[in-house]
Each structure stands twice: as C-alpha cells, then as structure tokens.
C-alpha cells in the first residue's frame, strides 16, 4: 500500500517562504515521478511541479516558475517543494503525488497514480 506523508505548510504573509516535504512508502523501487498539485476553494486541481527519477523537472504552471523549486531525495523516497515569494493566489491545499509509469513527466501531477491530501498553504496580504 503506497503511502505519502506530507509535512510543512501553514499560514504566512505574502512574500514569505514555506517548504513542503513528502515521504513515500509502501513501494520497493524509486517512483518514476513524484510531484505536487494544488486545489484552491472553488477551483479545479492544478498541477504545480513534478520531478523524474532522472532528475528532470517539469513545472506545470508559469506562475510558480522562479519562485517554487522541486527537489528529491530518491533514497529517502522524499520530494520537496520550496515555495518562495508566496502570493495570495498560491493559497490552496497542496497534494503530494507519485507515479510509476515510464513517461510520467508527460502526465499532469493531478493525474498521477497515487496521491494523498497534503498540507494547507494560506497566504495573506
């Protein structure tokens, strides 16, 4: 049984930083991809970023480029999302996701095979 445990998140002011961590378990081999998506109240799920086993990265939305950074520790089955210069529009529930298929970076993180509700991020002005 795949499990993803998220830590981090919280309530901050615009311009502040937060880091989310997600530790995976229940699978033997490294995931093909780990990633993050988010959902704001009344909005559709939106992919944020994903990282492949080979270290390739894909950011799903232009609005986070240059502000968010995804990284991983494959051996710890952990993925991180460093969020800098947070904006009010970043307010959402952030989810961690993992996929084991080959071309998983071509798949939006919100469509990954396994995901868990993660952390609420609230940014106030």
């Amino acid at each position: 049984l795949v499990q993803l445990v998220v830590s981090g998140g919280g309530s901050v002011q615009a311009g502040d930083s937060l880091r989310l961590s997600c530790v995976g378990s229940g699978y033997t081999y490294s995931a093909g991809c780990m990633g993050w998506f988010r959902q704001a109240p009344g909005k559709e799920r939106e992919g944020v970023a994903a990282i492949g086993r080979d270290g390739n990265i894909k950011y799903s939305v232009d609005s986070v480029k240059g502000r968010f950074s995804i990284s991983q520790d494959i051996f710890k089955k952990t993925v991180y999302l460093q969020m800098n210069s947070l904006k009010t529009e970043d307010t959402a529930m952030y989810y961690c996701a993992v996929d084991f298929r080959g071309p998983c970076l071509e798949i939006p993180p919100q469509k990954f095979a396994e995901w868990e509700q993660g952390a609420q991020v609230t940014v106030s002005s």
Side-chain angles (χ1 to χ4, degrees):
L1 178 64
V2 174
Q3 289 188 309
L4 302 168
V5 179
V6 177
S7 60
S11 297
V12 297
Q13 297 286 318
D16 287 348
S17 298
L18 283 173
R19 189 175 87 151
L20 302 180
S21 300
C22 172
V23 181
S25 63
Y27 51 95
T28 303
Y29 300 102
S30 299
C33 295
M34 295 189 79
W36 299 90
F37 63 91
R38 64 188 181 185
Q39 187 168 24
K43 294 188 176 181
E44 298 289 322
R45 289 178 179 174
E46 176 184 60
V48 176
I51 184 166
R53 185 188 294 117
D54 56 6
N56 286 333
I57 291 172
K58 183 173 183 179
Y59 292 99
S60 302
V61 289
D62 289 340
S63 62
V64 305
K65 292 179 181 178
R67 299 189 299 119
F68 289 14
S69 177
I70 187 170
S71 60
Q72 68 181 345
D73 184 327
I74 291 178
F75 300 105
K76 294 182 179 179
K77 296 179 182 175
T78 300
V79 63
Y80 306 96
L81 186 68
Q82 177 67 43
M83 303 181 290
N84 299 327
S85 302
L86 282 161
K87 303 178 179 180
T88 55
E89 52 262 44
D90 295 318
T91 295
M93 176 66 72
Y94 283 72
Y95 297 75
C96 177
V98 62
D99 203 281
F100 303 94
R101 291 168 283 186
C104 43
L105 277 185
E106 300 175 16
I107 304 169
Q110 62 270 37
K111 300 293 186 183
F112 279 9
E114 302 283 347
W115 56 268
E116 285 284 345
Q117 181 167 314
Q120 176 67 40
V121 173
T122 301
V123 185
S124 57
S125 59

